[in-house]
Amino acid sequence: MNFKQLEYFSAVAEAGSISGASRILHVAQPPISRQLALLEDELGVTLFLRTNKGVALTEAGRCLWQQSRQMFQSLRTMADSVREVDAGLRGQLKLGVIYSDVQIATSLLKEYHETYPQVELYVRMGAPGDLLDDLGRGELHALFLRSQSERSYGLRERVLGVDPLELVMCPGTDPAPGCDAVPIQALRDVPMCLLRSDDLWGYGRDLLEECRRAGFSPNVVCHCYDTPMEMQMVQAGFGVGFLPKSVVAAHPGSPVYTKPVLEFSAKSYPVLVWENSPYQAGCVKRFLELANST
C-alpha cells in the first residue's frame, strides 16, 4: 500500500466513480483502476462494490476511507507546520540574557511575542562566559550582553542603545544629598560595593581609575561577584555601587536610585550577539530582523 494508491482510492470514494476521480486527479481511468485492484489484492479485501451509477464503499472501504482522510489531514497539518516554522511563525527561540539587560530584553521580546505569539520563547539568565559557551555549542540562538567599546566578540553584533554608568545608592549612603550629581571628591572615604576586578565589563575599574586621578584611593568594602549581588549590597546599605542606570529600572519600588558623577562620563552599550551562521531558523531570522530595525 503506497501513497498514490491511497490518493486514488480516496478520490474515487469522494467522487463516487472512477470517471469522477479521473477528472479530479487529471489521470486516465485505467491507471486508477489498476492501482485500486493492486490495493485490494494487497489488503485481501473488496473496497468498492461496482454499480450502474459508479461505485459504493464496502464496510472495509469505509474504514480505510476514514483513516485515509485522517492521514491526509495530518499530512496537510504537517506541511503547514513546516512552512510556518520556515516563515518564522512557529518554532523555538532560545536566548541568553545577563542581569543588566533584563529590561532591554523583555521590552524587545514583548514586541516580538505580539507579532509571533506561536513561537516558544526559552530565556536563560546567566554569567556572560557561560552564555557565550552555550551560544558556541548551539544551545542558544542569541545573547543580550554588554560592551563598553566597539570591540567584537567574533560574533555578529547589534548595539541596542547607550546606557550611562552612574552611582547606585540608597538615601542613607548618598554622598551628595540634595544634588542631582555627585562630585568626584565627594566619594573620598565613601564605602563602595563594586564588581570584582576581573569583571568582564570593567565598570568598577573605570570609577576606581577616576578616583585615583582625583588624588585619592577609593574605599571598596565589598567586591561583588555579579550585578545582582552588588544591587543587594547597595540596597542593604553597605555602600554605593557603579552600574548601568537601566539596572535600577528593574527594581520598581526599591529605595535604590542613581546619580551621575560630575565631569565623568562613562557609558555601557547593551548589545545583541549571535553566531554568523549561513542558516538560521525562521523564528530566529525574524527576531534578528526586529532587533536590527530598532
Side-chain angles (χ1 to χ4, degrees):
M1 182 167 55
N2 57 47
F3 184 85
K4 178 178 289 187
Q5 289 172 340
L6 290 175
E7 182 183 22
Y8 288 0
F9 164 77
S10 295
V12 173
E14 291 174 12
S17 67
I18 293 176
S19 60
S22 175
R23 289 191 294 271
I24 293 171
L25 297 172
H26 303 289
V27 176
Q29 294 186 42
I32 297 176
S33 299
R34 183 165 55 254
Q35 291 299 324
L36 290 180
L38 291 171
L39 181 59
E40 288 181 323
D41 287 345
E42 180 181 345
L43 294 176
V45 299
T46 299
L47 297 172
F48 292 104
L49 295 175
R50 277 64 177 177
T51 69
N52 293 332
K53 296 182 179 180
V55 295
L57 286 167
T58 63
E59 191 65 28
R62 279 192 290 272
C63 177
L64 181 60
W65 186 40
Q66 290 172 354
Q67 295 189 56
S68 296
R69 291 173 65 185
Q70 293 173 1
M71 183 197 73
F72 284 120
Q73 180 58 49
S74 296
L75 289 172
R76 285 190 290 270
T77 300
M78 184 189 307
D80 289 343
S81 296
V82 170
R83 294 188 187 101
E84 288 178 352
V85 168
D86 186 64
L89 302 178
R90 292 181 182 271
Q92 296 180 347
L93 178 62
K94 300 180 180 181
L95 303 172
V97 185
I98 61 170
Y99 181 81
S100 60
D101 277 351
V102 168
Q103 288 291 101
I104 295 160
T106 53
S107 177
L108 186 58
L109 283 173
K110 183 177 181 182
E111 183 179 354
Y112 175 80
H113 180 65
E114 288 173 350
T115 306
Y116 303 103
Q118 299 303 315
V119 174
E120 295 180 88
L121 300 177
Y122 290 78
V123 185
R124 178 195 163 192
M125 184 156 52
D130 294 338
L131 295 178
L132 285 165
D133 287 343
D134 289 344
L135 181 67
R137 288 192 293 265
E139 296 174 8
L140 295 172
H141 294 126
L143 308 179
F144 288 88
L145 297 178
R146 288 271 170 165
S147 175
Q148 284 187 273
S149 67
E150 298 297 326
R151 66 187 176 87
S152 172
Y153 297 93
L155 304 167
R156 297 291 301 277
E157 179 178 306
R158 166 71 176 178
V159 177
L160 300 176
V162 181
D163 201 359
L165 292 167
E166 297 191 351
L167 293 171
V168 185
M169 63 198 74
C170 290
T173 57
D174 191 336
C179 299
D180 294 332
V182 179
I184 191 67
Q185 290 294 340
L187 294 176
R188 188 183 297 268
D189 299 325
V190 169
M192 296 183 185
C193 301
L194 303 178
L195 292 177
R196 65 194 192 279
S197 60
D198 63 342
D199 171 62
L200 181 62
W201 315 127
Y203 301 154
R205 291 194 299 273
D206 290 342
L207 182 62
L208 295 178
E209 290 172 5
E210 187 66 17
C211 290
R212 294 186 183 106
R213 279 194 291 268
F216 64 91
S217 295
N219 178 24
V220 182
V221 298
C222 181
H223 297 272
C224 303
Y225 186 84
D226 55 27
T227 302
M229 193 68 249
E230 181 172 340
M231 286 293 294
Q232 289 298 319
M233 297 300 286
V234 170
Q235 188 166 334
F238 278 84
V240 301
F242 192 63
L243 293 169
K245 184 177 181 179
S246 66
V247 174
V248 176
H251 297 76
S254 167
V256 176
Y257 55 94
T258 68
K259 287 185 179 182
V261 180
L262 277 177
E263 300 180 355
F264 174 50
S265 177
K267 296 180 176 64
S268 174
Y269 300 88
V271 296
L272 184 72
V273 300
W274 64 95
E275 291 278 4
N276 189 17
S277 170
Y279 174 79
Q280 294 279 12
C283 61
V284 179
K285 290 179 182 177
R286 301 294 88 77
F287 178 73
L288 296 177
E289 288 169 0
L290 175 63
N292 284 319
S293 68
T294 57

